[in-house]
Amino acid sequence: MMKTLYLKKGKEDSLKRFHPWIFSGAVHHIDCEPEEGDIVRVADSDGNFIACGHWQIGSIAVRVLTFEEREIDVSFWSERLQVALDVRRSIGVAGRENNTMFRLVHGEGDNLPGLIIDIYGETAVMQAHSVGMHVCRMQIAEALKQVFGDSLKAIYYKSETTLPFKASLGQENGFIYGKSDTNVAVENGLKFHIDWLKGQKTGFFVDQRDNRSLLEHYAYGRNVLNMFCYTGGFSVYAMRGEAKLVHSVDSSAKAVELVNANVALNFPDDNRHEAFAEDAFKYLEQMTTPYDLIILDPPAFAKHKDALKNALRGYTKLNAKAFEKIQPGGVLFTFSCSQAVDKDQFRRAVFTAAAISRRKVRILHQLHQPADHPINIYHPEGEYLKGLVLYVE
Ligand code: SAH
């Protein structure tokens, strides 16, 4: 029997606008204390049904799964996953030979708050950000098998670092279905090793796919610096785009290994590429190569709102260095993946950097997350990736 949570009077307004979160301050009482991860029925102060969702401890008390009164079972999950797959097919990233990796489920953006699923060829990598999704993982795995059929060989569950620490679930990463024979997946015809075992996030940053394609068109004949390269997505596209040389930089030695392996996979024995394990600021300060195409894709500088001011300063400092060093006629691809920094704040930080360097700068493109990382229109908080492509005179 599902427990019912009653809202304080008038606190149902945001839910009537389909916002998928209920904050703890809106809760009047629950008819019986649930355990974290339980599915609860949410009612207004008069007892009228409003939604069903996962109960959690913290400032968000419930993440809504559905605004319809229905059972949350395997068929619920498979309906949601089927819609998500249909969306990916219709935007042209799923069901293709030259692109076998994409994000299938992007949390609230796919009406599945707390759940991320990335597809890498025959393997799905699943990540729970809430105890509720963790509790439901085997049902979700079952639904994934139903939706994909034989084309899915393995499901890797990777939630060791994403589940709330306080829930002390002691969850370890591992396969919850099958095993994968290969860790190579294809993005726009380029091959990549995906390190879901140890890599960041689910093993690859699928969210830069479209931006990498755009970069490919700018690469011809240029000296490219891919700063914060991680697995080297941008580097490999720059190689295909006939860059003159490509340098990849990351402070992590592991990333340097990954980028070298991915370049070798696509362009064996091509000496246009070199990778360096070095701190970004140090490298930018000391570099002597005349780069005329620079990519800056740093990790999130602000994980929370209270770190905002420092984060903005960090973006300004980093971009100012790039403006100072880039060749005349150079192109800068600069990004922020901090959810706490909105696109106007980011643009202002980059504008300040341009002004400090006194260069003439034109905005050529304004970039964002791709269509397989959709934003639920009722949950604008889902917007996180933004970028600018700039021409530096
Ligand atoms: N551009 C990548 C994703 C970048 S993730 C892609 O398309 O896949 C951010 C990367 O920045 C990580 O690999 C991390 O190791 C690296 N990093 C973090 N701090 C750094 C620093 N100070 N200098 C250089 N690299 C850094």
Side-chain angles (χ1 to χ4, degrees), residues 196-209:
W196 48 71
L197 300 182
K198 297 211 188 63
Q200 302 176 49
K201 305 263 175 95
T202 63
F204 195 76
F205 286 75
V206 218
D207 58 359
Q208 289 286 23
R209 182 198 315 104

Side-chain angles (χ1 to χ4, degrees), residues 200 204-205 207-208 212 226-234 249-252 255 278-281 295 297-299:
Q200 302 176 49
F204 195 76
F205 286 75
D207 58 359
Q208 289 286 23
R212 289 179 189 126
N226 180 11
M227 182 54 76
F228 308 98
C229 66
Y230 186 38
T231 56
F234 284 104
V249 179
D250 199 290
S251 57
S252 137
E278 187 67 271
D279 170 72
F281 286 96
I295 302 120
D297 183 23

Side-chain angles (χ1 to χ4, degrees), residues 246-268:
V246 180
H247 288 167
S248 306
V249 179
D250 199 290
S251 57
S252 137
K254 178 76 190 160
V256 167
E257 258 174 55
L258 292 170
V259 64
N260 281 331
N262 285 328
V263 170
L265 191 60
N266 295 279
F267 303 97

